[in-house]
Amino acid sequence: MAEKNSSFSQSDGSAGGQGATRTDLYREWLDMAVLTPIRVAWDDWRTQVGSIIIAFYLLMGSVGVVLVDPPNQGQGPRLTPAFQDWSVPLGTNDIGESILSATVHATPPMLQMIAAGAVFSTALATVIGTVSGYKGGLTDRVLTTLTDIAMTIPGLPLIILLAALFEPTNPAVIGILITINAWAGLARSIRSQVLSLRDHSYVEASRIMGAPTRRILVDDIIPNIMPYVLINFVNSARNVIFGSVGLYYLGLLGGTHENWGIMLDGAYNGGAIYSLQVVHWLFVPMIAIIGISFGFVLFAQGTEKLFNPRIRARHAETVEDDTAPHQQ
């Protein structure tokens, strides 16, 4: 990391001191901040497959809801098996509602829950854990006490209580509700990592040079914990998926929008686990749940390399070539 920081500073100094044009600087920034991460990530097959899966769900939640009619009663004959009537290609449920329509129109609320819940829990845990581990002293004691209190509160009973009190219907609010105290364990783990990182030589060098705390955290501390944060972001996303599906399945969450958990509940009550003729009613939402979770896991595993400075340096194609003529 120290070598990386020094190479950046030397590159910036030589580019600025030797009369680099604004276009050269923009090109260097574009390569380091955008193109190199894309090349590093795309070099792994897991990133490619995970990106394709996630893109499929994003398209289903944006374009799909425009192309596919909303689910309505009587869209086809009751309990039509999959792939037998192409007006309802994935079959229908017990009221003649298209399984495809229900699955597609349940995707946008699910994506909103995932984004809100995963971003909330991961961002809060990263901020609290990083500041607590680096600052120490009174700040550390206060934040650690807050984290310990959050960890002692049982998650599921708290979610059920808050859901009963507030009866949320907004998908983003539901996502945050599901992860209301899920950040605490991650914050604890991040604090432990930061405690070991803050005594490294490159962090000490930044402090000696008078770098502000914010700069040290952003440049020296957070990049080293980002692979761990990214994995936990994916875990939070999966927890939101499974948590929301489970709570909808149990009838603990309301709302007017479709949800894969509601579809599973209807399939179970409709006898889908006992009859092969209607098993499609159960399998389609299950495949949707497994598919998006699998996509997130592959994407996280493949993008771990993004935060390895050695790998990023190997994939940087223009920085050295662009700065060399100016140094001459």
Side-chain angles (χ1 to χ4, degrees):
M1 180 63 67
E3 296 176 357
K4 181 188 74 171
N5 291 338
S6 62
S7 64
F8 284 170
S9 62
Q10 291 172 3
S11 175
D12 291 342
S14 60
Q18 301 296 328
T21 66
R22 187 178 297 273
T23 302
D24 292 333
L25 295 177
Y26 281 144
R27 186 181 178 189
E28 178 180 339
W29 175 87
L30 178 66
D31 187 89
M32 295 303 299
V34 180
L35 299 181
T36 295
I38 292 175
R39 285 193 294 266
V40 172
W42 201 250
D43 193 48
D44 194 305
W45 70 268
R46 295 171 298 182
T47 306
Q48 299 175 17
V49 176
S51 298
I52 292 172
I53 294 174
I54 294 172
F56 171 76
Y57 279 90
L58 291 175
L59 287 173
M60 187 165 65
S62 56
V63 179
V65 294
V66 177
L67 300 178
V68 179
D69 294 332
N72 288 306
Q73 184 175 348
Q75 289 178 299
R78 294 177 61 253
L79 300 177
T80 301
F83 311 120
Q84 292 195 10
D85 184 348
W86 290 107
S87 64
V88 283
L90 298 183
T92 59
N93 57 18
D94 58 344
I95 61 174
E97 184 181 79
S98 171
I99 301 296
L100 174 63
S101 296
T103 304
V104 170
H105 284 266
T107 304
M110 179 60 72
L111 294 176
Q112 294 176 39
M113 292 181 203
I114 293 171
V119 170
F120 167 77
S121 62
T122 307
L124 186 61
T126 302
V127 171
I128 291 179
T130 303
V131 173
S132 175
Y134 182 78
K135 294 291 288 184
L138 179 61
T139 301
D140 183 32
R141 290 194 296 272
V142 171
L143 294 179
T144 301
T145 301
L146 178 64
T147 302
D148 291 342
I149 292 173
M151 291 181 65
T152 58
I153 302 175
L156 183 59
L158 176 62
I159 295 171
I160 294 174
L161 176 62
L162 294 177
L165 287 176
F166 299 105
E167 299 181 354
T169 58
N170 185 288
V173 175
I174 293 174
I176 293 174
L177 175 67
I178 293 172
T179 58
I180 191 67
N181 69 337
W183 57 269
L186 177 58
R188 263 290 194 178
S189 300
I190 290 176
R191 173 184 176 273
S192 300
Q193 294 194 26
V194 174
L195 284 174
S196 63
L197 289 173
R198 70 178 185 180
D199 294 328
H200 282 198
S201 59
Y202 57 86
V203 178
E204 186 65 28
S206 296
R207 280 197 293 263
I208 293 174
M209 291 187 294
T213 300
R214 182 188 61 82
R215 180 72 177 271
I216 295 174
L217 293 178
V218 172
D219 291 348
D220 297 330
I221 300 295
I222 293 180
N224 285 280
I225 63 173
M226 279 306 296
Y228 183 74
V229 170
L230 181 61
I231 291 295
N232 279 274
F233 176 85
V234 172
N235 289 335
S236 296
R238 294 172 63 242
N239 290 337
V240 172
I241 296 169
F242 299 144
S244 64
V245 167
L247 292 173
Y248 274 108
Y249 176 82
L250 296 173
L252 298 175
L253 289 175
T256 57
H257 52 79
E258 293 287 334
N259 185 272
W260 299 329
I262 296 175
M263 295 175 64
L264 290 175
D265 181 51
Y268 175 81
N269 293 326
I273 62 174
Y274 305 111
S275 173
L276 291 177
Q277 184 180 359
V278 294
V279 73
H280 64 281
W281 190 4
L282 182 68
F283 278 176
V284 172
M286 286 180 60
I287 293 172
I289 295 166
I290 295 171
I292 192 170
S293 302
F294 185 61
F296 276 120
V297 170
L298 286 180
F299 183 79
Q301 291 177 345
T303 52
E304 284 182 352
K305 297 178 180 179
L306 281 177
F307 307 101
N308 187 321
R310 295 182 182 273
I311 296 177
R312 288 183 63 134
R314 285 203 306 267
H315 285 78
E317 294 181 352
T318 64
V319 175
E320 295 297 332
D321 294 339
D322 288 347
T323 56
H326 296 298
Q327 293 175 354
Q328 296 175 0

